[in-house]
């Protein structure tokens, strides 16, 4: 209602904006004061460590600690401090910790008063809980932290107040996951001043600017991992300033950002893991800068929408790459034909995922790309209808250490299974949407005793006879009894089948109750 009134009364809107800016200035002043007190606290902690060392060495006599209680100890209060600390440290909901702490009457959680009745709060518990906050290394502030109705009723200023009231207790925090509700420049200011030891920050769809990120890098020199998926408002020109300061940055996620073209790649220093999925404005020219700066350091790379030329750059420029996740633009979308890969350097590659590569690529070109990857353990080719029997067979003669294999192509037949059966380490196999038959799968099962997962969903030449064959092989001890088979939209756990009649009645579990990704998910 106040918002509607402001539309008809511009003066009230200006007044509210002015009061909000004053509130933010006051908050920033309090954050600065807290940062100063934090430095003093660190000095006191160092002095306390000296005293503790003297206590251990016997130079100072240990004095027993006495608590002033408002009531006689009973129930959980008879337990030692260490036990109570361990119990409270297992609480998943941070609101419970607030309820165990004195001096939090100003907390604006709706159910704060309800939670208070579950705890006997005293000075002893206050000290224990504050110690738990102080020792926290990881904190997750998701939507569940602020319940939905409550979050929508909060202004950005009050959300920042809540964040400050939490992070000021956690000076030793190393990992922080924050909700989009908290994604503002003031948020980074609070994080930098309250948690200078942050090493990993995850902020989805946050509205950060490069200047605020640069200040975060100055406040947190130990920042190694920054994940900003969906932060589409992040400007590349400002982001360059952050990269210049963040010398220790090793892991970076910038998915679904339409402003990044790759100009900032010049300022990469020792990036090990880089995810640029959905960055549609990347150019091949700027991608060469990445190859020049991170050729030796880059170990994991995800680029879903790339040109054929960029694929050649990847294969020839990153010798230490062990995980590669790529997709490709269709040739009809302006993508040139594949540049000839003359000397692929992917010798250390262990995980390869190529999603929907629809552009023209020959068997020879694909083999040139993957030929050095003799240590490959996971190969995922979902929705790649360009994969043929000959291409897959040639690949498997080189990559003999594969443990997980996924091939979804209507050009794959039983002929490919001859090479698949030669993989001694194979445990997971996905052949959905292929033309394999019952005969080929039965022969595969008889020669792959280590197999724990098989997907033949949407393979229209595979029938229930495959399930009967697998059941018989397990009863004979020739096949892993923990085998799981995906068939006709169902997931069949073979170890749950008591007899052959269970198969005939489809006594299986639907996909919805099964964690499908455990068996052949990508390396992400």
């Amino acid at each position: 209602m106040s918002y509607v009134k402001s539309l008809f009364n511009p003066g009230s809107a200006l007044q509210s904006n002015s009061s909000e800016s004053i509130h933010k200035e006051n908050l920033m002043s309090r954050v600065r004061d807290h940062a100063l007190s934090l430095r003093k606290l660190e000095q006191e902690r160092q002095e306390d460590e000296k005293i503790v060392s003297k206590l251990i060495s016997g130079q100072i006599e240990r004095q027993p600690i006495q608590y002033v209680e408002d009531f006689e100890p009973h129930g959980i209060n008879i337990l030692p401090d260490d036990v109570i600390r361990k119990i409270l440290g297992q609480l998943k909901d941070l609101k419970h910790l607030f309820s165990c702490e004195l001096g939090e009457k100003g907390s604006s959680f709706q159910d704060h008063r309800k939670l208070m009745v579950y705890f006997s709060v005293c000075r002893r518990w206050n000290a224990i809980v504050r110690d738990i906050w102080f020792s926290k290394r990881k904190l997750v502030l998701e939507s569940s932290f602020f319940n939905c109705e409550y979050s929508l009723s909060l202004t950005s200023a009050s959300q920042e107040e809540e964040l400050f009231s939490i992070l000021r207790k956690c000076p030793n925090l190393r990992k922080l996951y924050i909700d989009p509700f908290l994604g503002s420049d003031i948020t980074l200011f609070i994080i930098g001043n309250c948690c200078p030891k942050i090493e990993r920050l995850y902020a989805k769809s946050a509205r950060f600017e490069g200047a605020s990120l640069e200040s975060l890098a100055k406040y947190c020199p130990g920042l190694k991992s920054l994940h900003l998926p969906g932060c589409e408002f992040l400007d590349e020109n400002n982001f360059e300033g952050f990269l210049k300061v963040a010398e220790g940055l090793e892991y970076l996620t910038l998915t679904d950002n339409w402003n990044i073209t790759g100009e900032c790649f010049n300022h990469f220093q020792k990036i090990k893991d880089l995810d640029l999925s959905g960055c549609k404005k990347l150019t091949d020219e700027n991608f060469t800068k990445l190859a020049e700066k991170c050729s030796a350091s880059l170990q994991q790379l995800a680029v879903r929408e790339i040109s054929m030329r960029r694929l050649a750059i990847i294969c020839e420029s990153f010798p230490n790459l062990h995980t590669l996740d790529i997709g490709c633009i269709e040739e009809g979308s302006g993508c040139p034909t594949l540049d000839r890969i003359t000397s692929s350097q992917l010798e250390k590659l262990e995980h390869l995922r190529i999603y929907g590569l629809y552009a023209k690529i020959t068997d020879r070109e694909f083999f040139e790309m993957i030929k050095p990857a003799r240590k490959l353990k996971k190969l995922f080719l979902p929705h790649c209808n360009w994969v043929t029997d000959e291409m897959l067979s040639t690949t498997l003669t080189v990559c003999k250490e594969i443990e997980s294999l996924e091939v979804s192509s209507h050009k794959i037949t039983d002929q490919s299974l001859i090479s698949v059966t030669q993989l001694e380490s194979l445990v997971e196999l996905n052949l959905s949407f292929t033309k394999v038959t019952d005969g080929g799968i039965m022969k595969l099962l008889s020669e792959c005793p280590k197999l724990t997962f098989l997907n033949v969903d949407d393979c229209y030449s595979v029938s229930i006879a495959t399930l009967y064959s697998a059941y018989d092989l397990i009863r004979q001890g020739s096949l892993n009894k923990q085998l799981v088979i995906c068939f006709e939209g169902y997931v069949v756990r073979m170890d749950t089948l008591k007899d052959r009649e269970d198969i005939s009645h489809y006594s299986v579990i639907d996909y919805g109750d099964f964690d499908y990704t455990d068996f052949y998910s990508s390396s992400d």
Side-chain angles (χ1 to χ4, degrees):
M1 188 67 182
S2 60
Y3 171 73
V4 176
K5 289 182 179 179
S6 67
L7 294 178
F8 296 94
N9 188 358
S12 63
L14 292 174
Q15 184 177 1
S16 62
N17 291 335
S18 176
S19 61
E20 185 175 350
S21 62
I22 294 174
H23 178 81
K24 286 189 175 182
E25 289 177 3
N26 293 334
L27 176 61
M28 293 176 69
S29 177
R30 289 167 54 202
V31 172
R32 292 190 189 97
D33 293 340
H34 175 73
L36 292 174
S37 63
L38 195 61
R39 297 188 188 98
K40 294 180 181 179
L41 183 64
E42 181 66 19
Q43 295 176 356
E44 294 176 359
R45 187 187 65 80
Q46 294 175 359
E47 294 177 359
D48 291 342
E49 288 182 351
K50 295 179 181 178
I51 295 175
V52 171
S53 63
K54 291 182 180 179
L55 281 170
I56 295 174
S57 61
Q59 299 179 21
I60 301 179
E61 184 178 355
R62 187 185 299 270
Q63 299 293 331
I65 300 176
Q66 296 181 353
Y67 296 102
V68 179
E69 300 287 349
D70 297 330
F71 52 88
E72 290 295 326
H74 64 279
I76 193 174
N77 289 289
I78 65 175
L79 298 174
D81 288 1
D82 292 341
V83 176
I84 295 179
R85 184 180 295 108
K86 188 172 183 179
I87 293 173
L88 298 182
Q90 298 298 318
L91 294 175
K92 300 297 183 182
D93 195 337
L94 299 181
K95 292 178 283 189
H96 289 71
L97 284 182
F98 275 93
S99 301
C100 299
E101 196 172 355
L102 287 176
E104 293 295 337
K105 294 180 180 179
S107 178
S108 53
F109 292 114
Q110 285 185 332
D111 54 349
H112 175 70
R113 293 182 180 178
K114 294 180 181 179
L115 292 169
M116 286 290 289
V117 300
Y118 295 108
F119 300 97
S120 300
V121 182
C122 59
R123 292 185 180 90
R124 178 190 180 200
W125 279 49
N126 178 258
I128 292 174
V129 173
R130 288 188 180 275
D131 184 51
I132 293 174
W133 283 111
F134 187 81
S135 60
K136 270 192 174 297
R137 296 295 186 269
K138 178 181 177 181
L139 197 58
V140 179
L141 303 180
E142 297 177 330
S143 299
S144 57
F145 180 69
F146 298 114
N147 65 65
C148 185
E149 295 180 0
Y150 171 63
S151 298
L152 295 176
S153 66
L154 286 177
T155 64
S156 60
S158 56
Q159 290 174 1
E160 290 154 1
E161 283 280 357
E162 290 289 349
L163 183 66
F164 176 54
S165 67
I166 296 169
L167 295 188
R168 65 185 299 181
K169 308 174 192 296
C170 311
N172 293 310
L173 206 62
R174 299 295 194 276
K175 299 179 181 180
L176 177 61
Y177 301 77
I178 62 176
D179 191 85
F181 285 115
L182 304 172
S184 68
D185 292 333
I186 299 295
T187 297
L188 293 182
F189 183 79
I190 295 173
I191 294 172
N193 282 277
C194 295
C195 309
K197 298 179 181 179
I198 283 287
E199 297 177 358
R200 178 186 176 96
L201 176 62
Y202 182 94
K204 182 179 181 181
S205 303
R207 295 175 176 265
F208 295 147
E209 294 182 358
S212 57
L213 283 171
E214 183 178 349
S215 64
L216 176 70
K218 293 178 181 178
Y219 292 133
C220 306
L223 186 65
K224 295 181 180 180
S225 180
L226 180 63
H227 300 268
L228 302 174
C231 296
E232 55 185 20
F233 298 99
L234 187 62
D235 184 74
E236 184 172 40
N237 294 329
N238 293 329
F239 191 64
E240 289 182 1
F242 165 75
L243 293 177
K244 292 177 182 178
V245 180
E247 298 179 355
L249 191 67
E250 297 179 354
Y251 306 91
L252 178 62
T253 298
L254 286 175
T255 56
D256 300 318
N257 185 301
W258 289 19
N259 297 322
I260 299 296
T261 64
E263 287 287 344
C264 59
F265 290 168
N266 271 332
H267 304 288
F268 280 147
Q269 301 184 41
K270 53 179 181 180
I271 291 290
K272 294 182 179 180
D273 188 336
L274 182 62
D275 190 346
L276 299 172
S277 303
C279 297
K280 296 185 178 182
K281 290 189 177 181
L282 289 176
T283 65
D284 294 341
E285 181 181 357
N286 289 330
F287 207 79
T288 58
K289 299 177 182 178
L290 177 66
E292 294 171 358
K293 299 294 292 187
C294 305
S295 176
S297 63
L298 196 64
Q299 298 177 5
Q300 300 185 50
L301 176 63
V303 189
R304 290 295 175 85
E305 296 178 340
I306 64 173
S307 66
M308 296 286 86
R309 180 187 172 194
R310 205 173 304 165
L311 180 59
I313 295 173
I314 292 173
C315 295
E316 297 173 2
S317 304
F318 301 106
N320 293 317
L321 207 63
H322 65 72
T323 300
L324 178 60
D325 186 348
I326 59 176
C328 195
I329 306 172
E330 295 185 18
E331 187 178 8
S333 302
C335 178
T337 57
L338 179 66
D339 290 3
R340 184 59 58 86
I341 300 175
T342 56
S343 57
S344 178
Q345 303 294 319
L346 303 179
E347 296 180 1
K348 297 183 180 180
L349 194 66
E350 295 183 0
H351 302 169
L352 175 61
R353 186 176 190 270
I354 305 179
Y355 183 86
L357 187 57
Y358 294 112
K360 292 181 179 179
I361 178 171
T362 65
D363 293 10
R364 182 180 180 279
E365 289 165 339
F366 180 75
F367 182 69
E368 285 294 326
M369 177 182 70
I370 206 170
K371 181 169 61 176
R374 297 181 179 274
K375 296 181 180 180
L376 195 67
K377 294 184 178 180
K378 294 185 178 182
L379 177 60
F380 303 104
L381 302 172
H383 308 291
C384 293
N385 287 324
W386 47 270
V387 179
T388 63
D389 284 331
E390 183 180 357
M391 180 185 294
L392 183 60
S393 298
T394 305
T395 299
L396 297 184
T397 56
V398 175
C399 307
K400 298 181 179 181
E401 298 183 11
I402 290 180
E403 300 174 357
S404 300
L405 176 63
E406 175 181 354
V407 184
S408 299
S409 171
H410 62 266
K411 296 180 181 179
I412 296 298
T413 66
D414 289 344
Q415 183 180 345
S416 295
L417 300 184
I418 299 174
S419 300
V420 173
T421 56
Q422 303 302 314
L423 299 175
E424 298 180 357
S425 302
L426 186 67
V427 293
E428 302 165 359
L429 179 61
N430 182 357
L431 296 171
S432 58
F433 298 98
T434 62
K435 292 184 178 180
V436 295
T437 65
D438 283 326
I441 295 298
M442 292 177 186
K443 181 173 174 47
L444 172 77
L445 293 175
S446 63
E447 298 185 16
C448 296
K450 295 181 181 179
L451 205 63
T452 60
F453 175 77
L454 174 65
N455 186 358
V456 288
D457 203 19
D458 293 302
C459 296
Y460 300 112
S461 297
V462 176
S463 68
I464 196 174
T466 291
L467 298 183
Y468 284 115
S469 177
Y471 178 83
D472 293 337
L473 289 171
I474 290 174
R475 292 294 298 269
Q476 297 170 10
S478 302
L479 188 61
N480 192 333
K481 62 182 179 181
Q482 301 298 324
L483 177 65
V484 176
I485 300 179
C486 293
F487 170 76
E488 292 293 334
Y490 291 92
V491 175
V492 185
R493 290 185 175 90
M494 301 304 296
D495 60 344
T496 63
L497 302 178
K498 298 180 181 179
D499 51 41
R500 294 172 67 90
E501 291 185 1
D502 288 345
I503 299 175
S504 62
H505 288 90
Y506 285 91
S507 179
V508 291
I509 301 175
D510 191 80
Y511 273 96
D513 298 326
F514 185 75
D515 191 3
Y516 197 75
T517 58
D518 284 348
F519 293 91
Y520 64 99
S521 63
S522 67
S523 57
D524 294 343

